[in-house]
């Protein structure tokens, strides 16, 4: 979906396909047929943006076989879909029964991460629509915080500098400018937007910046205005933003709140949980650890890294951090000029919701994704952007 900002800039809105498990190119092509095109049709649009997630095997096939890339490009065009952004965070296995900590491997100290992201950039340069010259990729925020020392930090910095050089060469070769954004996430080396400033300043390249995920921003209790102001003051490129909402519990000391939270503690994904007291931000690596009691102070609100559907808040006594998303979006694209031009709805946890909230059929998932995109569209038009055909 494309929107015209009042200053004339085109802003792109997509939804991320990591909600649909696929490890191979055939799996990706099936996603386009079974999910992405039906969402487009449900919205009544001739064209829909998707933020592709390409696992390692799929990306490798596309970058090593020109006919495979042409096949994907043809299928996108045939089904009324376009790609300007990729989700490069998960490397593989995101559809596994248990993902948890595995999603953070390989990290930026491992050569596989550089090779994979380079492949993604080359693929994206070949997938961009004919009238678009800029693409973006979100990626792991360096590494999970444990076992990350000065040696691995230097390897990560060297890898990102090498990536920047490769992106420069790709732009010269293809005329397509691809930028990569670290995506701060609780528990990682770069947990907050503030944590990103030092390493990104050390890299100092305009093709390497930040992806603001509004669920992660909210989980860490970051103020969107403060975060964006600090990033822009430091000259950090705001590459893209993922529009998502976290789980919020206002009174976690109440038994009924603990019980409601426990329903969201599931075995597949990690749901880092945070609270802020006078002593600062405190947290656990997973929601199950928090709800068992004693691991977190319960006199202040809790937020958990669980991407809840944007258009429907959890039932009381829980809610979502949609207000944080609204504030962040207004700051990012509601001013005289957009600070980022690529927006991506990223609710990948539909099948991890409590059983009674999960979509039971493909059509229900299609309906839910379309409803999220409709909400995002309405937020953008309320900010003065004009939806384009």
């Amino acid at each position: 979906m494309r929107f015209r900002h009042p200053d004339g800039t085109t802003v792109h809105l997509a939804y991320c396909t990591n909600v649909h498990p696929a490890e191979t190119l055939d799996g990706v092509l099936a996603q386009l047929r079974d999910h992405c095109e039906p969402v487009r049709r449900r919205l009544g649009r001739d064209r829909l943006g998707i933020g592709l997630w390409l696992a390692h095997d799929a990306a490798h096939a596309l970058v090593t076989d020109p006919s495979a890339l042409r096949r994907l490009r043809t299928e996108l065009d045939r089904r009324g879909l376009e790609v300007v952004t990729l989700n490069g965070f998960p490397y593989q296995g995101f559809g596994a029964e248990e993902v948890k900590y595995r999603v953070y491997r390989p990290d930026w100290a491992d050569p596989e991460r550089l090779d994979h992201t380079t492949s993604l950039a080359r693929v994206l340069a070949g997938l961009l629509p004919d009238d678009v010259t800029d693409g973006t990729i979100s990626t792991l925020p360096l590494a999970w915080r444990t076992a990350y020392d000065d040696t691995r930090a230097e390897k990560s910095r060297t890898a990102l500098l090498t990536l920047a050089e490769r992106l420069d060469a790709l732009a010269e070769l293809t005329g397509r400018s691809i930028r990569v954004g670290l995506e701060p996430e609780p528990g990682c080396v770069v947990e907050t937007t503030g944590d990103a400033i030092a390493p990104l300043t050390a890299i100092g390249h305009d093709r390497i910046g930040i992806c603001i995920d509004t669920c992660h921003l909210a989980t860490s209790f970051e103020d969107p205005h403060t975060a964006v102001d600090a990033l822009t003051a430091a000259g950090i490129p705001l590459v893209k933003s993922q529009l998502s909402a976290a789980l919020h519990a206002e009174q976690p000391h109440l038994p009924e709140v603990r019980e409601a939270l426990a329903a969201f503690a599931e075995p597949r994904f990690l749901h880092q949980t945070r609270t802020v007291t006078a002593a600062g931000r405190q947290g656990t690596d997973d929601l199950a650890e928090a709800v068992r009691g004693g691991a977190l102070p319960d006199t202040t609100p809790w937020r958990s890294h669980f991407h809840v559907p944007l258009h429907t808040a959890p039932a009381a006594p829980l809610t979502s951090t949609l207000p944080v998303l609204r504030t962040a979006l207004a700051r990012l694209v509601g001013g005289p000029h957009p600070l980022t031009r690529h927006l991506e709805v990223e609710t990948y946890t539909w099948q991890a919701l409590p059983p009674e909230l999960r979509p039971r059929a493909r059509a229900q998932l299609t309906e839910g994704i379309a409803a999220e995109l409709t909400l995002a569209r309405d937020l953008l038009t309320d900010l003065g952007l004009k939806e384009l055909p």
Side-chain angles (χ1 to χ4, degrees):
M1 301 170 74
R2 299 188 185 191
F3 297 81
R4 182 76 68 202
H5 189 275
D7 76 345
T9 302
T10 298
V11 173
H12 294 263
L13 172 66
Y15 92 87
C16 186
T17 64
N18 63 354
V19 64
H20 313 304
E23 298 289 320
T24 65
L25 176 57
D26 284 343
V28 171
L29 295 173
Q31 287 178 350
L32 306 186
R33 179 194 67 223
D34 296 340
H35 298 288
C36 302
E37 185 178 9
V39 170
R40 177 184 65 77
R41 292 185 180 278
R42 179 65 184 83
L43 290 167
R45 297 191 53 82
D46 294 332
R47 174 174 55 186
L48 177 68
I50 58 171
L52 270 184
W53 172 61
L54 298 172
H56 170 264
D57 289 351
H60 180 73
L62 290 165
V63 83
T64 56
D65 182 357
S67 67
L69 186 60
R70 287 194 297 271
R71 182 184 174 200
L72 176 56
R73 176 68 184 267
T74 298
E75 278 296 288
L76 288 166
D77 291 342
R78 186 166 76 90
R79 299 190 183 281
L81 307 168
E82 66 177 15
V83 176
V84 302
T85 190
L86 301 180
N87 186 330
F89 195 134
Y91 181 78
Q92 61 186 9
F94 201 61
E97 290 185 5
E98 182 179 337
V99 178
K100 297 291 185 182
Y101 294 95
R102 286 185 288 177
V103 76
Y104 307 106
R105 303 294 300 180
D107 64 36
W108 273 102
D110 299 318
E112 295 88 349
R113 177 62 65 172
L114 171 62
D115 292 343
H116 177 57
T117 309
T118 301
S119 294
L120 292 178
R122 291 172 178 165
V123 168
L124 182 55
L127 293 181
L128 289 176
D130 292 339
D131 62 343
V132 175
T133 58
D134 298 325
T136 59
I137 302 171
S138 48
T139 189
L140 178 78
L142 298 183
W144 187 252
R145 69 184 185 280
T146 57
Y148 191 76
D149 54 19
D150 290 345
T151 299
R152 294 188 69 78
E154 182 57 29
K155 287 181 178 180
S156 297
R157 177 178 172 276
T158 299
L160 286 166
L161 285 170
T162 301
L163 176 66
E165 293 171 357
R166 293 178 181 179
L167 296 177
D168 282 342
L170 183 64
E172 186 173 349
L173 179 66
T174 66
R176 305 295 179 90
S177 174
I178 308 298
R179 296 188 299 161
V180 173
L182 303 184
E183 181 187 330
E185 176 167 315
C188 292
V189 173
V190 175
E191 169 153 341
T192 67
T193 57
D195 295 335
I197 292 175
L200 289 176
T201 300
I203 293 165
H205 198 289
D206 62 3
R207 295 197 195 279
I208 310 295
I210 196 166
C211 167
I212 295 178
D213 184 302
T214 58
C215 170
H216 304 173
L217 189 81
T219 300
S220 294
F221 287 87
E222 289 195 77
D223 173 70
H225 291 293
T226 302
V228 171
D229 287 348
L231 291 168
T232 54
I236 304 300
L238 305 183
V239 170
K240 65 183 279 190
S241 180
Q242 289 172 324
L243 308 183
S244 52
L247 194 62
H248 180 95
E250 185 68 21
Q251 296 179 300
H253 65 284
L254 297 177
E256 60 268 29
V257 175
R258 293 291 183 94
E259 182 180 358
L261 284 170
F264 286 83
E266 52 84 36
R268 185 172 174 186
F269 298 112
L270 206 61
H271 301 296
Q272 304 93 312
T273 303
R274 298 289 185 267
T275 190
V276 175
T277 69
R281 186 171 57 246
Q282 301 180 55
T284 61
D285 282 356
D286 213 348
L287 179 57
E289 181 184 356
V291 297
R292 281 196 295 267
L296 275 184
D298 60 8
T299 56
T300 50
W302 289 1
R303 289 177 179 173
S304 188
H305 173 218
F306 195 117
H307 290 224
V308 296
L310 302 185
H311 65 293
T312 174
L318 304 179
T319 187
S320 82
T321 61
L322 183 62
V324 177
L325 185 160
R326 292 176 181 270
T327 301
L329 191 61
R331 185 70 176 83
L332 290 169
V333 301
H337 306 286
L339 301 180
T340 187
R341 291 177 286 118
H342 290 178
L343 306 171
E344 180 182 59
V345 171
E346 199 218 7
T347 304
Y348 59 83
T349 44
W350 282 94
Q351 298 302 337
L353 290 166
E356 67 275 11
L357 301 179
R358 294 175 195 167
R360 291 179 173 82
R362 186 181 296 167
Q364 287 180 300
L365 180 59
T366 296
E367 185 75 23
I369 294 170
E372 289 193 293
L373 286 167
T374 298
L375 182 145
R377 178 197 65 194
D378 291 347
L379 293 178
L380 290 171
T381 55
D382 286 347
L383 291 171
L385 283 74
K386 181 181 178 181
E387 186 177 7
L388 299 176

